[in-house]
Amino acid sequence: QIQLAESGGGLAQAGDSLTLSCAASGPSVRTFGSYSMGWFRQAPGKDREFVGYISWNAENTVYADSMKGRFTISRDNAENMVYLQMNSLEPEDTAVYYCAAKYYRGSLSADDYDYWGQGTQVTVAS
C-alpha cells in the first residue's frame, strides 16, 4: 500500500508557473522506486485527463500533446517525491490535479494505476 498526497495547488494568473508535489508514504513506500508515476487532471464536468507520467527509473517521460513543452515531470526516489512543473499556465489548465502510481511501466490510462492521491486544485485566472 502506497499513500499519495499532492500539494502546491492554488490560484495562478495566466502565464504564471506553478509546481505541484506528490509525496508517497505508507507500508510499501520502500518500493516507490518500482512505480511509474502519472499525473492526471479533472476539470469540472469533464473526464479525468492524462497529463503525463515518469518511468520508475526517471529515464522516460511521456506527456499529453497539449502539455508538451509547458509541463515537466520529475521525481526524487530517495525522497519518495514526484513533481509537476507547469509553465505558461492557461485558464484551460484549471482542474483538480492527481498523482497516481503504477507498478513498473507507465500508462496513459487512468484505469491502469494502482494508487491515487486526493488531488490538489489548480485555478488559473485570465
Side-chain angles (χ1 to χ4, degrees), residues 2-13:
I2 293 177
Q3 281 96 43
L4 302 173
E6 303 91 340
S7 62
L11 177 63
Q13 299 297 314

Side-chain angles (χ1 to χ4, degrees), residues 1-65:
Q1 182 91 18
I2 293 177
Q3 281 96 43
L4 302 173
E6 303 91 340
S7 62
L11 177 63
Q13 299 297 314
D16 282 355
S17 296
L18 204 60
T19 298
L20 306 183
S21 299
C22 173
S25 62
S28 299
V29 72
R30 68 186 184 282
T31 65
F32 176 74
S34 300
Y35 284 80
S36 290
M37 297 299 297
W39 284 95
F40 292 79
R41 69 185 186 184
Q42 188 165 19
K46 294 189 176 181
D47 293 334
R48 193 164 294 191
E49 178 186 22
F50 172 75
V51 172
Y53 74 77
I54 186 167
S55 63
W56 60 276
N57 58 2
E59 288 187 356
N60 296 301
T61 51
V62 175
Y63 300 95
D65 286 344

Side-chain angles (χ1 to χ4, degrees), residues 12-19 41 70-71 86-94 97 122-125:
Q13 299 297 314
D16 282 355
S17 296
L18 204 60
T19 298
R41 69 185 186 184
R70 296 194 303 127
F71 290 9
M86 304 183 292
N87 298 327
S88 302
L89 283 166
E90 305 167 352
E92 293 73 23
D93 294 319
T94 295
Y97 284 73
V122 172
T123 302
V124 183

Side-chain angles (χ1 to χ4, degrees), residues 65-116:
D65 286 344
S66 61
M67 286 71 162
K68 285 180 183 177
R70 296 194 303 127
F71 290 9
T72 302
I73 300 173
S74 59
R75 68 187 297 164
D76 183 342
N77 284 350
E79 297 294 330
N80 300 320
M81 295 291 297
V82 181
Y83 305 96
L84 175 64
Q85 180 179 348
M86 304 183 292
N87 298 327
S88 302
L89 283 166
E90 305 167 352
E92 293 73 23
D93 294 319
T94 295
V96 177
Y97 284 73
Y98 300 88
C99 66
K102 180 186 180 298
Y103 183 72
Y104 195 43
R105 294 186 187 277
S107 171
L108 279 64
S109 173
D111 291 341
D112 292 337
Y113 285 77
D114 303 304
Y115 303 107
W116 290 83

